[in-house]
PDB file of all heavy atoms in Angstrom:
ATOM      1  N   VAL A 659      37.492  16.488  -6.601  1.00  0.00           N
ATOM      2  CA  VAL A 659      38.362  15.933  -5.556  1.00  0.00           C
ATOM      3  C   VAL A 659      39.195  17.005  -4.869  1.00  0.00           C
ATOM      4  O   VAL A 659      39.771  16.755  -3.804  1.00  0.00           O
ATOM      5  CB  VAL A 659      39.295  14.839  -6.126  1.00  0.00           C
ATOM      6  CG1 VAL A 659      38.484  13.704  -6.728  1.00  0.00           C
ATOM      7  CG2 VAL A 659      40.281  15.408  -7.129  1.00  0.00           C
ATOM      8  N   ARG A 660      39.238  18.190  -5.417  1.00  0.00           N
ATOM      9  CA  ARG A 660      40.018  19.266  -4.815  1.00  0.00           C
ATOM     10  C   ARG A 660      39.271  19.952  -3.680  1.00  0.00           C
ATOM     11  O   ARG A 660      39.880  20.663  -2.889  1.00  0.00           O
ATOM     12  CB  ARG A 660      40.427  20.290  -5.891  1.00  0.00           C
ATOM     13  CG  ARG A 660      41.222  19.670  -7.033  1.00  0.00           C
ATOM     14  CD  ARG A 660      41.619  20.697  -8.069  1.00  0.00           C
ATOM     15  NE  ARG A 660      42.739  21.519  -7.632  1.00  0.00           N
ATOM     16  CZ  ARG A 660      44.018  21.190  -7.753  1.00  0.00           C
ATOM     17  NH1 ARG A 660      44.350  20.031  -8.310  1.00  0.00           N
ATOM     18  NH2 ARG A 660      44.974  21.988  -7.339  1.00  0.00           N
ATOM     19  N   TRP A 661      37.948  19.738  -3.606  1.00  0.00           N
ATOM     20  CA  TRP A 661      37.204  20.403  -2.532  1.00  0.00           C
ATOM     21  C   TRP A 661      36.258  19.490  -1.755  1.00  0.00           C
ATOM     22  O   TRP A 661      35.873  19.809  -0.628  1.00  0.00           O
ATOM     23  CB  TRP A 661      36.412  21.599  -3.070  1.00  0.00           C
ATOM     24  CG  TRP A 661      35.471  21.316  -4.216  1.00  0.00           C
ATOM     25  CD1 TRP A 661      35.725  21.501  -5.542  1.00  0.00           C
ATOM     26  CD2 TRP A 661      34.138  20.803  -4.142  1.00  0.00           C
ATOM     27  NE1 TRP A 661      34.634  21.144  -6.298  1.00  0.00           N
ATOM     28  CE2 TRP A 661      33.648  20.715  -5.459  1.00  0.00           C
ATOM     29  CE3 TRP A 661      33.310  20.443  -3.082  1.00  0.00           C
ATOM     30  CZ2 TRP A 661      32.361  20.252  -5.752  1.00  0.00           C
ATOM     31  CZ3 TRP A 661      32.026  19.977  -3.368  1.00  0.00           C
ATOM     32  CH2 TRP A 661      31.575  19.891  -4.686  1.00  0.00           C
ATOM     33  N   ALA A 662      35.864  18.364  -2.310  1.00  0.00           N
ATOM     34  CA  ALA A 662      34.846  17.536  -1.664  1.00  0.00           C
ATOM     35  C   ALA A 662      35.438  16.617  -0.601  1.00  0.00           C
ATOM     36  O   ALA A 662      36.446  15.949  -0.834  1.00  0.00           O
ATOM     37  CB  ALA A 662      34.095  16.712  -2.700  1.00  0.00           C
ATOM     38  N   ASP A 663      34.798  16.570   0.538  1.00  0.00           N
ATOM     39  CA  ASP A 663      35.095  15.564   1.547  1.00  0.00           C
ATOM     40  C   ASP A 663      34.439  14.240   1.165  1.00  0.00           C
ATOM     41  O   ASP A 663      35.042  13.170   1.308  1.00  0.00           O
ATOM     42  CB  ASP A 663      34.577  16.017   2.915  1.00  0.00           C
ATOM     43  CG  ASP A 663      34.702  14.948   3.980  1.00  0.00           C
ATOM     44  OD1 ASP A 663      35.790  14.845   4.574  1.00  0.00           O
ATOM     45  OD2 ASP A 663      33.714  14.211   4.224  1.00  0.00           O
ATOM     46  N   THR A 664      33.194  14.330   0.659  1.00  0.00           N
ATOM     47  CA  THR A 664      32.403  13.148   0.331  1.00  0.00           C
ATOM     48  C   THR A 664      31.655  13.363  -0.970  1.00  0.00           C
ATOM     49  O   THR A 664      31.118  14.450  -1.198  1.00  0.00           O
ATOM     50  CB  THR A 664      31.391  12.843   1.455  1.00  0.00           C
ATOM     51  OG1 THR A 664      32.076  12.686   2.699  1.00  0.00           O
ATOM     52  CG2 THR A 664      30.593  11.581   1.160  1.00  0.00           C
ATOM     53  N   VAL A 665      31.599  12.335  -1.791  1.00  0.00           N
ATOM     54  CA  VAL A 665      30.756  12.325  -2.990  1.00  0.00           C
ATOM     55  C   VAL A 665      29.651  11.302  -2.753  1.00  0.00           C
ATOM     56  O   VAL A 665      29.928  10.127  -2.490  1.00  0.00           O
ATOM     57  CB  VAL A 665      31.555  11.964  -4.258  1.00  0.00           C
ATOM     58  CG1 VAL A 665      30.623  11.809  -5.460  1.00  0.00           C
ATOM     59  CG2 VAL A 665      32.599  13.037  -4.546  1.00  0.00           C
ATOM     60  N   HIS A 666      28.395  11.734  -2.837  1.00  0.00           N
ATOM     61  CA  HIS A 666      27.252  10.877  -2.505  1.00  0.00           C
ATOM     62  C   HIS A 666      26.710  10.106  -3.701  1.00  0.00           C
ATOM     63  O   HIS A 666      25.774   9.324  -3.520  1.00  0.00           O
ATOM     64  CB  HIS A 666      26.101  11.735  -1.959  1.00  0.00           C
ATOM     65  CG  HIS A 666      26.322  12.271  -0.586  1.00  0.00           C
ATOM     66  ND1 HIS A 666      25.408  12.109   0.447  1.00  0.00           N
ATOM     67  CD2 HIS A 666      27.349  12.978  -0.049  1.00  0.00           C
ATOM     68  CE1 HIS A 666      25.859  12.700   1.542  1.00  0.00           C
ATOM     69  NE2 HIS A 666      27.045  13.238   1.264  1.00  0.00           N
ATOM     70  N   SER A 667      27.213  10.326  -4.887  1.00  0.00           N
ATOM     71  CA  SER A 667      26.511   9.874  -6.090  1.00  0.00           C
ATOM     72  C   SER A 667      27.355   8.991  -7.003  1.00  0.00           C
ATOM     73  O   SER A 667      27.256   9.069  -8.217  1.00  0.00           O
ATOM     74  CB  SER A 667      26.036  11.098  -6.870  1.00  0.00           C
ATOM     75  OG  SER A 667      27.105  12.024  -7.068  1.00  0.00           O
ATOM     76  N   VAL A 668      28.171   8.127  -6.431  1.00  0.00           N
ATOM     77  CA  VAL A 668      29.009   7.237  -7.230  1.00  0.00           C
ATOM     78  C   VAL A 668      28.158   6.056  -7.703  1.00  0.00           C
ATOM     79  O   VAL A 668      27.532   5.367  -6.890  1.00  0.00           O
ATOM     80  CB  VAL A 668      30.217   6.750  -6.423  1.00  0.00           C
ATOM     81  CG1 VAL A 668      31.000   5.694  -7.185  1.00  0.00           C
ATOM     82  CG2 VAL A 668      31.109   7.942  -6.083  1.00  0.00           C
ATOM     83  N   ASP A 669      28.142   5.840  -9.016  1.00  0.00           N
ATOM     84  CA  ASP A 669      27.206   4.839  -9.543  1.00  0.00           C
ATOM     85  C   ASP A 669      27.744   4.021 -10.712  1.00  0.00           C
ATOM     86  O   ASP A 669      26.978   3.332 -11.387  1.00  0.00           O
ATOM     87  CB  ASP A 669      25.892   5.517  -9.955  1.00  0.00           C
ATOM     88  CG  ASP A 669      26.073   6.551 -11.059  1.00  0.00           C
ATOM     89  OD1 ASP A 669      27.218   6.772 -11.495  1.00  0.00           O
ATOM     90  OD2 ASP A 669      25.064   7.141 -11.479  1.00  0.00           O
ATOM     91  N   SER A 670      29.059   4.076 -10.982  1.00  0.00           N
ATOM     92  CA  SER A 670      29.598   3.290 -12.092  1.00  0.00           C
ATOM     93  C   SER A 670      31.060   2.988 -11.873  1.00  0.00           C
ATOM     94  O   SER A 670      31.769   3.713 -11.154  1.00  0.00           O
ATOM     95  CB  SER A 670      29.426   4.039 -13.416  1.00  0.00           C
ATOM     96  OG  SER A 670      30.326   5.124 -13.501  1.00  0.00           O
ATOM     97  N   ASP A 671      31.518   1.912 -12.511  1.00  0.00           N
ATOM     98  CA  ASP A 671      32.932   1.563 -12.391  1.00  0.00           C
ATOM     99  C   ASP A 671      33.822   2.616 -13.028  1.00  0.00           C
ATOM    100  O   ASP A 671      34.921   2.901 -12.545  1.00  0.00           O
ATOM    101  CB  ASP A 671      33.195   0.182 -12.995  1.00  0.00           C
ATOM    102  CG  ASP A 671      32.755   0.069 -14.458  1.00  0.00           C
ATOM    103  OD1 ASP A 671      32.092   0.994 -14.976  1.00  0.00           O
ATOM    104  OD2 ASP A 671      33.069  -0.954 -15.078  1.00  0.00           O
ATOM    105  N   ARG A 672      33.363   3.242 -14.098  1.00  0.00           N
ATOM    106  CA  ARG A 672      34.169   4.281 -14.750  1.00  0.00           C
ATOM    107  C   ARG A 672      34.324   5.504 -13.854  1.00  0.00           C
ATOM    108  O   ARG A 672      35.393   6.120 -13.822  1.00  0.00           O
ATOM    109  CB  ARG A 672      33.541   4.662 -16.091  1.00  0.00           C
ATOM    110  CG  ARG A 672      33.606   3.546 -17.130  1.00  0.00           C
ATOM    111  CD  ARG A 672      33.095   3.995 -18.477  1.00  0.00           C
ATOM    112  NE  ARG A 672      31.682   4.385 -18.413  1.00  0.00           N
ATOM    113  CZ  ARG A 672      31.010   4.941 -19.418  1.00  0.00           C
ATOM    114  NH1 ARG A 672      31.612   5.201 -20.567  1.00  0.00           N
ATOM    115  NH2 ARG A 672      29.738   5.245 -19.276  1.00  0.00           N
ATOM    116  N   LEU A 673      33.267   5.855 -13.137  1.00  0.00           N
ATOM    117  CA  LEU A 673      33.368   6.990 -12.219  1.00  0.00           C
ATOM    118  C   LEU A 673      34.298   6.651 -11.058  1.00  0.00           C
ATOM    119  O   LEU A 673      35.065   7.509 -10.601  1.00  0.00           O
ATOM    120  CB  LEU A 673      31.980   7.387 -11.708  1.00  0.00           C
ATOM    121  CG  LEU A 673      31.919   8.607 -10.781  1.00  0.00           C
ATOM    122  CD1 LEU A 673      32.562   9.833 -11.420  1.00  0.00           C
ATOM    123  CD2 LEU A 673      30.474   8.906 -10.374  1.00  0.00           C
ATOM    124  N   VAL A 674      34.241   5.432 -10.563  1.00  0.00           N
ATOM    125  CA  VAL A 674      35.155   5.010  -9.503  1.00  0.00           C
ATOM    126  C   VAL A 674      36.600   5.174  -9.962  1.00  0.00           C
ATOM    127  O   VAL A 674      37.438   5.731  -9.249  1.00  0.00           O
ATOM    128  CB  VAL A 674      34.884   3.547  -9.092  1.00  0.00           C
ATOM    129  CG1 VAL A 674      36.014   3.016  -8.206  1.00  0.00           C
ATOM    130  CG2 VAL A 674      33.560   3.447  -8.351  1.00  0.00           C
ATOM    131  N   ARG A 675      36.909   4.711 -11.157  1.00  0.00           N
ATOM    132  CA  ARG A 675      38.281   4.823 -11.665  1.00  0.00           C
ATOM    133  C   ARG A 675      38.696   6.284 -11.817  1.00  0.00           C
ATOM    134  O   ARG A 675      39.819   6.659 -11.477  1.00  0.00           O
ATOM    135  CB  ARG A 675      38.409   4.083 -12.994  1.00  0.00           C
ATOM    136  CG  ARG A 675      38.322   2.565 -12.865  1.00  0.00           C
ATOM    137  CD  ARG A 675      38.820   1.879 -14.133  1.00  0.00           C
ATOM    138  NE  ARG A 675      37.990   2.195 -15.283  1.00  0.00           N
ATOM    139  CZ  ARG A 675      36.926   1.488 -15.652  1.00  0.00           C
ATOM    140  NH1 ARG A 675      36.543   0.430 -14.949  1.00  0.00           N
ATOM    141  NH2 ARG A 675      36.222   1.822 -16.731  1.00  0.00           N
ATOM    142  N   ALA A 676      37.778   7.116 -12.339  1.00  0.00           N
ATOM    143  CA  ALA A 676      38.102   8.532 -12.536  1.00  0.00           C
ATOM    144  C   ALA A 676      38.363   9.232 -11.211  1.00  0.00           C
ATOM    145  O   ALA A 676      39.320  10.016 -11.084  1.00  0.00           O
ATOM    146  CB  ALA A 676      36.973   9.224 -13.294  1.00  0.00           C
ATOM    147  N   LEU A 677      37.546   8.954 -10.213  1.00  0.00           N
ATOM    148  CA  LEU A 677      37.721   9.594  -8.910  1.00  0.00           C
ATOM    149  C   LEU A 677      38.978   9.085  -8.209  1.00  0.00           C
ATOM    150  O   LEU A 677      39.694   9.861  -7.562  1.00  0.00           O
ATOM    151  CB  LEU A 677      36.496   9.344  -8.029  1.00  0.00           C
ATOM    152  CG  LEU A 677      35.232  10.114  -8.416  1.00  0.00           C
ATOM    153  CD1 LEU A 677      34.039   9.609  -7.612  1.00  0.00           C
ATOM    154  CD2 LEU A 677      35.410  11.616  -8.206  1.00  0.00           C
ATOM    155  N   ASP A 678      39.265   7.813  -8.339  1.00  0.00           N
ATOM    156  CA  ASP A 678      40.471   7.257  -7.717  1.00  0.00           C
ATOM    157  C   ASP A 678      41.723   7.900  -8.313  1.00  0.00           C
ATOM    158  O   ASP A 678      42.641   8.317  -7.585  1.00  0.00           O
ATOM    159  CB  ASP A 678      40.493   5.744  -7.911  1.00  0.00           C
ATOM    160  CG  ASP A 678      41.695   5.093  -7.246  1.00  0.00           C
ATOM    161  OD1 ASP A 678      42.060   5.507  -6.133  1.00  0.00           O
ATOM    162  OD2 ASP A 678      42.270   4.171  -7.853  1.00  0.00           O
ATOM    163  N   THR A 679      41.745   7.998  -9.639  1.00  0.00           N
ATOM    164  CA  THR A 679      42.899   8.606 -10.307  1.00  0.00           C
ATOM    165  C   THR A 679      43.037  10.072  -9.916  1.00  0.00           C
ATOM    166  O   THR A 679      44.138  10.552  -9.587  1.00  0.00           O
ATOM    167  CB  THR A 679      42.750   8.487 -11.833  1.00  0.00           C
ATOM    168  OG1 THR A 679      42.706   7.110 -12.197  1.00  0.00           O
ATOM    169  CG2 THR A 679      43.909   9.166 -12.547  1.00  0.00           C
ATOM    170  N   ALA A 680      41.922  10.798  -9.938  1.00  0.00           N
ATOM    171  CA  ALA A 680      41.957  12.224  -9.618  1.00  0.00           C
ATOM    172  C   ALA A 680      42.329  12.464  -8.162  1.00  0.00           C
ATOM    173  O   ALA A 680      43.108  13.375  -7.839  1.00  0.00           O
ATOM    174  CB  ALA A 680      40.602  12.855  -9.931  1.00  0.00           C
ATOM    175  N   ALA A 681      41.785  11.664  -7.265  1.00  0.00           N
ATOM    176  CA  ALA A 681      42.110  11.826  -5.848  1.00  0.00           C
ATOM    177  C   ALA A 681      43.573  11.502  -5.586  1.00  0.00           C
ATOM    178  O   ALA A 681      44.231  12.162  -4.770  1.00  0.00           O
ATOM    179  CB  ALA A 681      41.208  10.938  -4.997  1.00  0.00           C
ATOM    180  N   GLY A 682      44.110  10.500  -6.292  1.00  0.00           N
ATOM    181  CA  GLY A 682      45.530  10.187  -6.151  1.00  0.00           C
ATOM    182  C   GLY A 682      46.411  11.334  -6.591  1.00  0.00           C
ATOM    183  O   GLY A 682      47.402  11.674  -5.924  1.00  0.00           O
ATOM    184  N   ALA A 683      46.046  11.951  -7.714  1.00  0.00           N
ATOM    185  CA  ALA A 683      46.818  13.093  -8.205  1.00  0.00           C
ATOM    186  C   ALA A 683      46.735  14.262  -7.231  1.00  0.00           C
ATOM    187  O   ALA A 683      47.737  14.950  -6.966  1.00  0.00           O
ATOM    188  CB  ALA A 683      46.313  13.507  -9.585  1.00  0.00           C
ATOM    189  N   ALA A 684      45.541  14.496  -6.676  1.00  0.00           N
ATOM    190  CA  ALA A 684      45.371  15.595  -5.720  1.00  0.00           C
ATOM    191  C   ALA A 684      46.187  15.349  -4.451  1.00  0.00           C
ATOM    192  O   ALA A 684      46.746  16.285  -3.869  1.00  0.00           O
ATOM    193  CB  ALA A 684      43.894  15.763  -5.377  1.00  0.00           C
ATOM    194  N   ARG A 685      46.272  14.110  -4.027  1.00  0.00           N
ATOM    195  CA  ARG A 685      47.092  13.792  -2.845  1.00  0.00           C
ATOM    196  C   ARG A 685      48.575  13.985  -3.152  1.00  0.00           C
ATOM    197  O   ARG A 685      49.323  14.502  -2.316  1.00  0.00           O
ATOM    198  CB  ARG A 685      46.813  12.365  -2.382  1.00  0.00           C
ATOM    199  CG  ARG A 685      45.387  12.161  -1.895  1.00  0.00           C
ATOM    200  CD  ARG A 685      45.100  10.715  -1.536  1.00  0.00           C
ATOM    201  NE  ARG A 685      45.581  10.380  -0.204  1.00  0.00           N
ATOM    202  CZ  ARG A 685      45.463   9.172   0.343  1.00  0.00           C
ATOM    203  NH1 ARG A 685      44.912   8.196  -0.341  1.00  0.00           N
ATOM    204  NH2 ARG A 685      45.906   8.946   1.568  1.00  0.00           N
ATOM    205  N   ASP A 686      48.989  13.598  -4.352  1.00  0.00           N
ATOM    206  CA  ASP A 686      50.383  13.795  -4.739  1.00  0.00           C
ATOM    207  C   ASP A 686      50.751  15.276  -4.773  1.00  0.00           C
ATOM    208  O   ASP A 686      51.881  15.659  -4.433  1.00  0.00           O
ATOM    209  CB  ASP A 686      50.646  13.183  -6.116  1.00  0.00           C
ATOM    210  CG  ASP A 686      50.621  11.660  -6.102  1.00  0.00           C
ATOM    211  OD1 ASP A 686      50.722  11.079  -5.000  1.00  0.00           O
ATOM    212  OD2 ASP A 686      50.473  11.051  -7.182  1.00  0.00           O
ATOM    213  N   GLU A 687      49.786  16.114  -5.159  1.00  0.00           N
ATOM    214  CA  GLU A 687      50.008  17.560  -5.231  1.00  0.00           C
ATOM    215  C   GLU A 687      49.903  18.229  -3.867  1.00  0.00           C
ATOM    216  O   GLU A 687      50.228  19.412  -3.729  1.00  0.00           O
ATOM    217  CB  GLU A 687      48.989  18.205  -6.168  1.00  0.00           C
ATOM    218  CG  GLU A 687      49.102  17.787  -7.625  1.00  0.00           C
ATOM    219  CD  GLU A 687      47.954  18.342  -8.449  1.00  0.00           C
ATOM    220  OE1 GLU A 687      47.392  19.385  -8.053  1.00  0.00           O
ATOM    221  OE2 GLU A 687      47.600  17.726  -9.472  1.00  0.00           O
ATOM    222  N   GLY A 688      49.420  17.506  -2.880  1.00  0.00           N
ATOM    223  CA  GLY A 688      49.218  18.092  -1.561  1.00  0.00           C
ATOM    224  C   GLY A 688      47.925  18.866  -1.432  1.00  0.00           C
ATOM    225  O   GLY A 688      47.708  19.561  -0.435  1.00  0.00           O
ATOM    226  N   VAL A 689      47.034  18.734  -2.420  1.00  0.00           N
ATOM    227  CA  VAL A 689      45.748  19.438  -2.380  1.00  0.00           C
ATOM    228  C   VAL A 689      44.815  18.798  -1.361  1.00  0.00           C
ATOM    229  O   VAL A 689      44.009  19.473  -0.728  1.00  0.00           O
ATOM    230  CB  VAL A 689      45.088  19.445  -3.775  1.00  0.00           C
ATOM    231  CG1 VAL A 689      43.704  20.064  -3.731  1.00  0.00           C
ATOM    232  CG2 VAL A 689      45.976  20.197  -4.757  1.00  0.00           C
TER     233      VAL A 689
END
Side-chain angles (χ1 to χ4, degrees):
V659 301
R660 303 180 77 85
W661 55 263
D663 173 85
T664 304
V665 174
H666 288 232
S667 51
V668 173
D669 62 359
S670 73
D671 56 351
R672 292 185 298 173
L673 183 55
V674 168
R675 290 195 296 270
L677 288 171
D678 182 40
T679 298
R685 295 176 81 181
D686 290 343
E687 295 173 26
V689 175

